[in-house]
Amino acid sequence: MNRSQGHPTATEVEQFSRALDGRVCSRLSADYETRRRALVWNGRPPECFPSLIVEARSAPDVVVAVEFARHHKLVVGVRGTGHSYSSIFMCDAGLLIDLSRMNTLTVDRSEHRIVVEAGATSGEVAAALEREGLAFPVGHGAPVGIGGFLLGGGLGINCAAWGGMSTFNILAADIVTADGAERHASPTENPDLFWAMRGGGPGLPFIVTRFHLHCYDQPGAITSNTYLLRFAVLPHLAAALDAIAPTLDRRLQVMLAVISAPLELASHCAPEDHGRIAALTAIAFAHDAVEARTLQAPLAELPILSDCLVRVQDQATTFAGILGQGETLLVSKRFRTDNVLCDQLGVAVDIIMRHLPTAPSPASLSLIVWRGQHDHPDAAYSVSGRYFVSTYAQWGSAEDDPVNGAWLKHFYDEMAAIATGAYVNEFDLEARLDDIGRCYSTSALERLRTLRQRHDPDAIFYNPFARSHH
Ligand SMILES: Cc1cc2nc3c(=O)[nH]c(=O)nc-3n(C[C@H](O)[C@H](O)[C@H](O)COP(=O)(O)OP(=O)(O)OC[C@H]3O[C@@H](n4cnc5c(N)ncnc54)[C@H](O)[C@@H]3O)c2cc1C
């Protein structure tokens, strides 16, 4: 059950506001609608209207907000930086705590540790660490919040080598629980909540205010190789990649994007290319340039790459450079995504070949990320698959929402047949709330449900899965 029957008076809201470092925006505030829309990244604010939007500036602000919500029987939603593709944080009629102004960071170089407030972005974390010669597997876009990213699992930069998923680099966290108490969660303190934060995703029975993260020495050399090929070649390219994948070093990040051909390559496309190309990018995270070339070699030597339209090799890059690259592909105003984890790359590519050319918007794209085989520690993140296969529908106007949503749903209904799991942070939760079980093992899903009942018996925190009994 989700609550939110409360109606605090204007005076009570005024008193609440004075108790905070941050500010409160109510539905009576002149800028309410502007602020509500600005919370959402995907360009499609849902018909959800929190009674109060609380911009928290500190952990004590979060405590005051949870206590106020308890007192007035308001459900509590939590927003990091709002990059959820499905705006899953948006509660209706409750109190939404926006953490995006909580973004301080403290780096401990000798301990390889960073303590970061939960509203910080991937770009802020990467930049703070880069100054100290350190690195963390942050998300692939600078504005992506570290909070929601880590809590859902985190398919971060070089994460195949650094933890498997980024969430496995959480050492501990400072949290606020449903009773309004500030607590610490680690393998030895509140271990069940620590278990849940490593991949539990939306609707957790606590709010993280600060993460304590393990970080790594910055690689001595990061090099990027890019190969652009015709779309029609994709099945052969995927087969060649799949054949050598077991020999690849995990420090090579391999991503295959299927995108619209840039203008300068359009004339190289035949009708069977449908105006698209396959862009294979391999980024090596190595000690030095020589080792980087060794990591790149198995892929660079693939015979099929002699058919490239464009081939750029041994480009030195940085975390800042990689963060910038991710942002160039998402160019429209409205977004929706879905994904599977799978082992059958050939079948996944066959499905892409049939569905991507029928996309209502040519800007929509598919992405294949090689993950390799991982034995993850016991945590809420409990799905696996050698490949992550996602599609980003993107388009320009509201009237095209239904046709793009239906296309993506149909595409990934077919993909679901080969799924070994799905990644919750890029799962189409607008269409698939009832399929949320695909994002966790059966036992992890059950344990999350039990933890929610035990630690939030009054259902203070907004649980988007309440209606699917998760
Ligand atoms: C441009 C773009 C690039 C992306 N790149 C990647 C990528 O490379 N790898 C990847 O894995 N994912 C990526 N993502 C997906 C990303 O991981 C999710 O969108 C993630 O939710 C973003 O975090 P956020 O803090 O903005 O979350 P929000 O959208 O603010 O919230 C998402 C969920 O997390 C909960 N939540 C957030 N913070 C807290 C907290 N402190 N305590 C408790 N619950 C909290 C919210 O309640 C909500 O349920 C990308 C998304 C975008 C839009």
Side-chain angles (χ1 to χ4, degrees), residues 1-7 27 32-33 36 39-40 45-53 69 72-78 87-97 459-464:
M1 183 201 69
N2 278 317
R3 15 200 278 160
S4 277
Q5 308 101 352
H7 299 285
R27 291 198 69 172
Y32 174 84
E33 189 51 14
R36 188 187 76 88
L39 295 171
V40 171
E47 290 295 298
C48 291
F49 298 87
S51 303
L52 299 172
I53 301 168
H72 292 283
K73 294 190 168 22
L74 292 166
V75 75
V76 176
V78 191
S87 308
I88 196 69
F89 55 86
M90 264 297 205
C91 56
D92 205 19
L95 181 155
L96 181 64
I97 303 179
I460 288 281
F461 292 119
Y462 173 56
N463 173 14

Side-chain angles (χ1 to χ4, degrees), residues 318-337:
T318 58
F319 266 67
I322 300 167
L323 286 166
Q325 238 172 31
E327 286 163 41
T328 58
L329 292 178
L330 299 177
V331 292
S332 299
K333 293 191 175 136
R334 306 173 82 80
F335 301 90
R336 194 156 171 171
T337 188

Side-chain angles (χ1 to χ4, degrees), residues 26-77:
S26 81
R27 291 198 69 172
L28 300 176
S29 308
D31 61 348
Y32 174 84
E33 189 51 14
T34 312
R35 292 176 72 84
R36 188 187 76 88
R37 288 180 167 271
L39 295 171
V40 171
W41 178 86
N42 71 15
R44 298 178 294 115
E47 290 295 298
C48 291
F49 298 87
S51 303
L52 299 172
I53 301 168
V54 178
E55 183 189 282
R57 295 287 181 122
S58 61
D61 271 6
V62 175
V63 170
V64 171
V66 170
E67 281 171 348
F68 182 81
R70 276 194 79 83
H71 184 73
H72 292 283
K73 294 190 168 22
L74 292 166
V75 75
V76 176

